[in-house]
Amino acid sequence: SVAPYATGSRSDASDLRTVSDQTQADKRARVRVELAGAYFSRGQTAIALDEVKQALVAKPDMPEALNLRGLIYAALGETRLAEESFLRALQVAPRDGDVMHNYGWFLCQRKRYDEATKYYLAALKDPLYPTPEKAYVNLGLCARDYSVMVVDGERFSRYSTDYFDTPDLRLYHAHHAGQ
């Protein structure tokens, strides 16, 4: 499956932060998160977790660090700790598309499909979310385990029709019209 996305763009529910808004603690924490991401991408989860913990010492409510900690705990099989990290990241940054995407991925991996769909769709509504194609791909991969999925009121099914029909599906429509 497609890997989750681990960098963030929003700091809280009320403001969009840019680089010029960063304090020294923000910068220290950001460097630690970048190191953690690099270690995590190389499979060095223990070192990555240590770097994330150090980032959170510098900036306890940093959504990117909380998000990455959720991914690391998920990779380590620490489901409860992973979920707590994602939920805390969502408390701090409820509109962050990266957090919503990664939490959606986490939920899908645990066959919590309805919840996962909600978070993938919410990530797609974030105008700063840099990779909507990842959410669409992961939404599709998650949906493969559904027999029927409803997204924004539109019903999708993985099953094909059993009807031998005309190109305009006349028999299908007649059947559903009760004829």
Side-chain angles (χ1 to χ4, degrees), residues 19 55 76 148 173:
V19 174
L76 292 170
V148 176
H173 292 294

Side-chain angles (χ1 to χ4, degrees), residues 60-134:
D61 285 339
M62 183 180 193
E64 298 89 348
L66 293 163
N67 186 30
L68 183 54
R69 186 176 70 179
L71 293 173
I72 293 168
Y73 280 142
L76 292 170
E78 296 290 342
T79 302
R80 182 186 56 80
L81 294 172
E83 185 152 21
E84 287 173 4
S85 292
F86 289 125
L87 291 175
R88 181 67 188 129
L90 285 167
Q91 284 178 335
V92 174
R95 299 182 302 164
D96 188 305
D98 297 324
V99 176
M100 289 184 276
H101 173 265
N102 289 339
Y103 189 47
W105 169 83
F106 171 83
L107 293 168
C108 184
Q109 298 299 304
R110 280 136 195 91
K111 300 189 184 314
R112 293 165 58 185
Y113 304 121
D114 291 335
E115 292 172 87
T117 298
K118 174 182 134 188
Y119 284 98
Y120 282 133
L121 293 174
L124 291 168
K125 291 178 183 173
D126 177 0
L128 297 178
Y129 181 53
T131 55
E133 65 279 0
K134 286 187 178 186

Side-chain angles (χ1 to χ4, degrees), residues 42-57:
R42 289 189 212 122
Q44 296 174 288
T45 53
I47 298 170
L49 183 58
D50 186 54
E51 290 294 338
V52 159
K53 286 179 178 181
Q54 290 182 55
L56 289 167
V57 167

